[in-house]
Amino acid sequence: MKIGILAPSSIGNPAAEAPVSAFAAIAYPEVDLIFHPQCYEADGHFAGSDERRASAFLEFANDPGIDAIWFLRGGYGSNRILSRVMPNLGAAARHKTYIGYSDLGFVLGALYARGIGRPVHGPMASDIRREGGDVTVARSLGWLARGDRQGLEPGLDGRPAAAFNLSILAALIGTPWLPDLADHVLLIEEVSEPMYAVDRLLFTMANATQLKGLAGVRLGGVTAVQPNEPEWGESLEFMIRRWCGDMGVPYLGRAEIGHTQTNRLVPFGIA
């Protein structure tokens, strides 16, 4: 199985390539990881210019010899190439699985909105560098190579689901790239924000007309929370319950997703 690795957002860290390749060679010998040279190019903040990142994406996605796309890392920038990429995806792209999270929620959402491929919110190749990162990336490699369901988020219950970083979800609202999530369970997570910003993002989610008809909301990890001055006075549990109440959808509890070693797979739709 050939898995193409791309960096549609921020510059990739070359230090991830050797350990993830070595782990895959030992644990998943049927897998051939192919890192696009674009991953390590630089154009300011980004892993190459918008045009370069888009052309690399299209090269791998439209290549019938590549079976799946696994994103190297997030950061910021995949939204900037959507208008270049989505209209130009061909037949081969429609049969691939795409795995990533964080900023790659832009891509996963846009693919799902257009019925292209099998988008999955899950660990990326650079997660090998986390403590216990071999276990983390094994969830994605196992799903891609063997259809291994052990890495799936354990609360998936047979209803269609989708997962997003909360900041990415908020940025998608009001755009043509947000999929119709009616009757879906929505899983959300966040990282590196103060609590007031998390609350503001939940306000955006709760009042978005594009998100009407959700089956429920689950809250994943909210990590690396930045200091709030003055100290924030509400718990995450209180906040999410309040905004789900305003939204008129059930709060269905916690989820094992986020910018952590325990991040698990959430296939968009029904697993």
Side-chain angles (χ1 to χ4, degrees), residues 159-160 181-186 211-217 249-252:
R159 288 182 288 184
L181 297 177
D183 301 319
H184 286 60
V185 175
L186 173 63
L211 292 177
K212 298 302 181 186
L214 289 175
V217 172
V249 302
Y251 170 56
L252 302 176

Side-chain angles (χ1 to χ4, degrees), residues 115-258:
I116 297 173
R118 297 174 292 276
V120 180
H121 183 283
M124 294 183 283
S126 61
D127 284 319
I128 191 70
R129 301 183 72 243
R130 294 186 183 276
E131 183 177 355
D134 53 344
V135 176
T136 306
V137 300
R139 299 184 189 114
S140 292
L141 286 170
W143 177 262
L144 289 171
R146 302 170 187 171
D148 186 350
R149 299 176 65 87
Q150 293 185 53
L152 291 175
E153 204 287 323
L156 299 178
D157 60 5
R159 288 182 288 184
F164 289 95
N165 173 267
L166 190 53
S167 293
I168 304 307
L169 177 67
L172 281 167
I173 290 168
T175 75
W177 310 114
L178 181 67
D180 180 2
L181 297 177
D183 301 319
H184 286 60
V185 175
L186 173 63
L187 291 75
I188 54 174
E189 57 88 18
E190 191 51 84
V191 65
S192 298
E193 296 285 356
M195 290 291 278
Y196 82 85
V198 175
D199 191 68
R200 184 169 59 199
L201 291 165
L202 290 171
F203 161 83
T204 302
M205 179 191 78
N207 288 279
T209 56
Q210 281 181 289
L211 292 177
K212 298 302 181 186
L214 289 175
V217 172
R218 296 177 60 206
L219 178 64
V222 178
T223 53
V225 176
Q226 299 302 300
N228 205 98
E229 183 62 39
E231 186 175 349
W232 190 256
E234 296 176 341
S235 69
L236 276 170
E237 197 76 10
F238 180 87
M239 289 164 59
I240 188 67
R241 288 183 183 276
R242 174 164 50 80
W243 288 117
C244 283
D246 282 8
M247 198 177 192
V249 302
Y251 170 56
L252 302 176
R254 300 306 298 262
E256 292 186 28
I257 64 166

